[in-house]
């Protein structure tokens, strides 16, 4: 029996881990044992606990309870806690996801004591080194033992950085597995407006800059007025704090600010909405998988295939560009995504882990 330690801590990681945990439990119960370590990076129930319950993810065996902090303090506390566990318990490999501080801490802690690191969602690049996520993903890739690339673009990025072919596995995207597996369980709240654009903002370069945040909200409000719809805005805690301290919402009437959605509610909102506007990496993909056009509230994206497919436009935090992009894509016919694998990424990843550890 092989043993892996899955290290998660932030909302998108719980969702991705669900896909893999289910495959481990359903198909490899006698070959692979998975323990989950939660760093505590996200700790509010609607940012963490709800995902474990709704997606039936096994309870974490370890919880470091690290909480919020500066990048250095948060990452350091995780690094220390993860190392302590890896020094006392044997694991054949460590599994990390994406690009958060939790990913970086898990990868560094394991690599330095020679526990093989398996990186899910490897090879993503925004080529913007001012983003903490870009630093996290570049460093994580470079200390990983196997790189699970969700798209061919990610494979190409890794090759350009000199990784050998033997380390790179084109697995497809576990988030596509999830959209396929859970869409029939999507939840819809009867309180949502009839016709809406689903909007989220959480990146520090948007939330921590009042002008950018106001420009985004102004663009969304103008578009809502033009298309006679409303904006459903589930706010990340970081964004909620910021909006409260700016005392801004009275200036932006058509926006329904609500608590963060669960995963199944997010799928429901995607199926119900007319369009998506977001700075989230995950939500832009889920919009594509659900056939919804997406306005990207960022200057660039790691998921260039969605822009190339014509299903997303980069509007940054520019009010006019946001309005124009929403107008330009309002009646777009959905495309069936072909760039993110076949919806069986989790199976490919688990098999590779078993074969290579
Ligand atoms: C993190 C990831 C980002 C990912 C995002 C998903 C990093 C550098 N960033 O960003 O890549 O897309 O998660 O949500 O790791 N907070 C709460 N309650 C919570 C969690 C956070 O109130 O449960 C507040 C705290 O004030 C905290 C702030 O949100 O300071 C930011 O949280 P943090 O974990 O630092 O980063 P995210 O913005 O969530």
């Amino acid at each position: 029996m092989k043993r892996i330690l899955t290290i998660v801590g932030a909302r998108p990681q719980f969702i991705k881990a669900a896909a893999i945990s289910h495959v481990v439990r359903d198909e490899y119960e006698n070959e692979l044992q998975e323990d989950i370590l939660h760093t505590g990076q996200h700790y509010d129930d609607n940012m963490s606990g709800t995902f474990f319950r709704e997606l039936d993810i096994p309870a974490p065996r370890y919880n470091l309870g690290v909480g919020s902090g500066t990048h250095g303090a948060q990452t350091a506390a995780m690094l220390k806690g993860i190392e302590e566990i890896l020094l006392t318990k044997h694991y054949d490999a460590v599994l990390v996801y994406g690009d958060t501080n939790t990913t970086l801490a898990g990868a560094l802690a394991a690599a330095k004591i020679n526990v093989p690191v398996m990186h899910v969602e490897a090879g993503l690049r925004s080529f913007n080194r001012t983003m903490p996520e870009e630093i996290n993903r570049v460093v994580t890739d470079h200390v990983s033992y196997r790189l699970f690339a969700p798209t061919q673009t990610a494979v190409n990025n890794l090759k350009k950085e000199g990784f050998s072919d033997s380390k790179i596995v084109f697995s497809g995207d576990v988030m596509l597995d999830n959209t396929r597996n859970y869409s029939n369980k999507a939840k819809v709240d009867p309180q949502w407006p009839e016709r809406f654009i689903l909007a989220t903002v959480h990146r520090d370069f948007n939330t921590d800059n009042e002008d950018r945040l106001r420009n985004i909200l102004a663009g969304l409000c103008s578009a809502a007025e033009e298309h006679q719809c409303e904006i459903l805005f589930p706010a990340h805690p970081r964004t909620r704090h910021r909006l409260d301290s700016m005392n801004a919402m009275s200036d932006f009437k058509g926006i329904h600010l609500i608590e963060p959605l669960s995963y199944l509610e997010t799928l429901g909102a995607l199926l119900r909405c007319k369009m998506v506007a977001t700075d989230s990496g995950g939500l832009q993909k889920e919009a594509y998988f659900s056939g919804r056009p997406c306005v990207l509230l960022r200057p660039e994206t790691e998921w260039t295939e969605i822009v190339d497919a014509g299903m997303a436009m980069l509007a940054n935090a520019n009010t006019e560009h946001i309005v124009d992009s929403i107008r330009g894509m309002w009646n777009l016919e959905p495309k069936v995504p072909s760039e993110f694998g076949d919806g069986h990424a989790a199976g490919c990843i688990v098999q590779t882990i078993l074969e290579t550890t």
Side-chain angles (χ1 to χ4, degrees), residues 295-321:
V295 178
L296 300 174
L297 307 169
R298 297 177 43 182
E300 76 284 298
T301 177
E302 305 80 24
W303 305 103
T304 50
E305 348 0 55
I306 310 177
V307 176
D308 295 343
M311 286 295 286
M313 287 173 84
L314 287 161
N316 204 357
N318 181 308
T319 304
E320 224 171 280
H321 290 175

Side-chain angles (χ1 to χ4, degrees), residues 40-199:
Q41 176 168 357
H42 287 172
Y43 43 90
D44 288 348
D45 189 62
N46 59 17
M47 297 290 288
S48 173
T50 184
F51 295 91
F52 282 83
R53 291 191 297 276
E54 191 173 72
L55 302 178
D56 191 24
I57 305 167
R61 172 149 185 197
Y62 315 100
N63 194 325
L64 302 181
V66 161
S68 306
T70 61
H71 287 283
Q74 194 180 51
T75 311
M78 295 175 188
L79 195 51
K80 184 169 178 289
I82 296 166
E83 186 185 60
E84 274 166 19
I85 290 162
L86 289 177
L87 286 174
T88 51
K89 300 271 183 334
H90 170 79
Y91 288 100
D92 295 292
V94 151
L95 191 55
V96 296
Y97 295 86
D99 57 20
T100 71
N101 290 340
T102 291
T103 318
L104 175 67
L108 270 184
K112 293 197 85 174
I113 51 178
N114 299 321
V115 179
V117 177
M118 308 283 173
H119 187 200
V120 178
E121 218 176 63
L124 270 288
R125 296 291 181 268
S126 64
F127 302 102
N128 176 355
R129 292 265 170 122
T130 67
M131 287 175 71
E133 292 86 354
E134 183 78 350
I135 306 295
N136 291 343
R137 52 173 94 97
V138 168
V139 176
T140 300
D141 280 343
H142 280 264
V143 297
S144 288
Y145 178 76
R146 281 290 175 281
L147 299 152
F148 295 107
T151 60
Q152 203 52 50
T153 310
V155 171
N156 296 342
N157 288 339
L158 292 168
K159 286 190 176 171
K160 276 187 215 143
E161 283 176 35
F163 290 96
S164 71
D165 286 355
S166 60
K167 280 193 160 188
I168 306 170
V169 180
F170 171 61
S171 57
D173 196 315
V174 288
M175 288 183 69
L176 179 61
D177 300 19
N178 278 339
T179 300
R180 298 242 170 110
N181 295 341
Y182 289 104
S183 279
N184 60 355
K185 296 191 179 130
K187 289 183 187 160
V188 171
D189 186 332
Q191 305 221 331
W192 292 342
E194 264 307 300
R195 226 167 110 84
F196 64 88
I197 296 170
L198 176 64

